[in-house]
Amino acid sequence: MKLITHNMLSSNIIKGVKNGYPLGIQATDVQVNEVDFNPDFVARIIPKLQWPILCQAAESIGHLGDLPKELISDFESNEEFLKKAHHILMEIEVKEGNLVCPETGRKFPISNGILNMLLNEDEV
Amino acid sequence: MLHTIQSCYGDIEDKLVADLGCGCGVLSIGAAMLGCGSCVGFDIDDSALCICQRNLTELDIDQVDLIKADVVHIENDEVLKRRFDTVIMNPPFGTKHNKGIDMTFVRAGLNLSRGSIYSLHKTATREHISKKCSKWNVKMEVLAELRFDLPASYKFHKKGSVDIQVDFIRFTSIGSLKNVEC
């Protein structure tokens, strides 16, 4: 599971959970894969993301690197910045671990890179 | 199907795509090959997801993420709402026991997408779908008619295989969704 995906997931699908965002990350296996850099996509997706949440998620698994915690104003034309963002969004892969609901502590396991968000009947 | 989505509407390249009921990943893989920015495949079935992950690895496709989830549960997710540029799907057509599941998938797609939803449905249900869409305030366009050769897959199927007519449909919200509580 990549951090771009983490950025848009919550546990508010569980009955009774109001916000459920962001989900905590407990990672036991994190891999870094090379993914083709697509500057147009990264520039377009950044404004639609929660930047502070992305930085927080990257930091929690020790991969923030030198990514600025504040979104810079000219990010669209700053290739250096877009490359760093691309790396964090697309190239860091949580292979094994859990995502954790901030309100209930409910864990969503990640196994072989696949996140399990399936709810039990009593959680719906 | 994906070539049409890209060449006629430009809804794949550089886009954030969701694939609902991705199965072994045919559509997700296609979207990745056509240059989508990132794609998230959702499915409820472990074995399908495992095969999908293997397919992605073998084909060296690295912009697809997989999530095991029930599409019915993520339908009302406020955080996922309108997160994706495009939603693609080949939904279950529904059998005796889960009639109308394809339109539940479309409804989930409409919640997740800020753009269009591309899907496949039995031609026989076109009128029903069209009624649903006008009720929901959604525009539907049949882009193509296809023919599926489906092998028998349930005990109550009497024939070895059947040819069924399938519509390739594009759904787009017109303004806000209405009456979607089914």
Side-chain angles (χ1 to χ4, degrees), chain A residues 54-72:
Chain A
L54 176 70
C55 294
Q56 194 184 313
E59 198 167 30
S60 77
I61 54 171
H63 279 272
L64 183 65
D66 54 356
L67 190 74
K69 285 190 181 177
E70 294 277 330
L71 193 52
I72 58 169

Side-chain angles (χ1 to χ4, degrees), chain B residues 92-113:
Chain B
F93 290 152
T95 63
K96 283 180 174 174
H97 311 295
N98 55 355
K99 232 175 151 204
I101 182 84
D102 58 335
M103 289 312 282
T104 305
F105 271 61
V106 171
R107 212 167 60 202
L110 289 164
N111 183 46
L112 262 51
S113 177

Side-chain angles (χ1 to χ4, degrees), chain B residues 73-85:
Chain B
H73 297 162
I74 58 169
E75 190 192 336
N76 297 314
D77 188 326
E78 283 299 316
V79 178
L80 271 180
K81 197 171 188 171
R82 296 174 60 77
R83 279 289 184 147
F84 294 93
D85 297 309

Side-chain angles (χ1 to χ4, degrees), chain B:
Chain B
M1 172 172 171
L2 292 162
H3 276 287
T4 306
I5 301 173
Q6 176 52 33
S7 61
C8 299
Y9 304 99
D11 275 346
I12 300 286
E13 203 180 323
D14 298 344
K15 301 294 185 197
L16 182 57
V17 177
D19 179 1
L20 300 187
C22 62
C24 306
V26 179
L27 292 179
S28 293
I29 290 165
M33 285 175 165
L34 291 179
C36 74
S38 182
C39 176
V40 182
F42 295 87
D43 207 290
I44 197 167
D45 186 74
D46 269 326
S47 53
L49 287 168
C50 271
I51 297 170
C52 187
Q53 187 75 303
R54 207 165 60 214
N55 289 340
L56 293 168
T57 311
E58 275 172 17
L59 293 165
D60 221 4
I61 286 171
D62 42 28
Q63 69 269 55
V64 178
D65 252 349
L66 299 178
I67 299 180
K68 179 179 172 185
D70 188 335
V71 167
V72 177
H73 297 162
I74 58 169
E75 190 192 336
N76 297 314
D77 188 326
E78 283 299 316
V79 178
L80 271 180
K81 197 171 188 171
R82 296 174 60 77
R83 279 289 184 147
F84 294 93
D85 297 309
T86 304
V87 173
I88 53 179
M89 60 174 102
N90 180 6
F93 290 152
T95 63
K96 283 180 174 174
H97 311 295
N98 55 355
K99 232 175 151 204
I101 182 84
D102 58 335
M103 289 312 282
T104 305
F105 271 61
V106 171
R107 212 167 60 202
L110 289 164
N111 183 46
L112 262 51
S113 177
R114 49 177 169 259
S116 292
I117 292 98
Y118 297 88
S119 183
L120 298 167
H121 300 269
K122 284 206 288 204
T123 304
T125 61
R126 191 187 293 178
E127 201 174 321
H128 165 74
I129 294 173
S130 156
K131 274 188 196 153
K132 272 259 151 90
C133 286
S134 41
K135 208 171 112 193
W136 291 353
N137 208 15
V138 167
K139 179 178 159 197
M140 81 172 258
E141 301 157 82
V142 177
L143 303 179
E145 282 185 26
L146 318 163
R147 187 178 288 275
F148 271 25
D149 179 28
L150 292 184
S153 47
Y154 285 98
K155 277 188 180 151
F156 61 81
H157 287 165
K158 294 184 187 75
K159 295 177 190 162
S161 80
V162 279
D163 268 350
I164 56 163
Q165 289 284 130
V166 174
D167 285 349
F168 170 29
I169 304 181
R170 177 178 197 242
F171 298 94
T172 318
S173 297
I174 323 165
S176 57
L177 285 178
K178 284 181 191 161
N179 310 313
V180 282
E181 62 284 351
C182 219

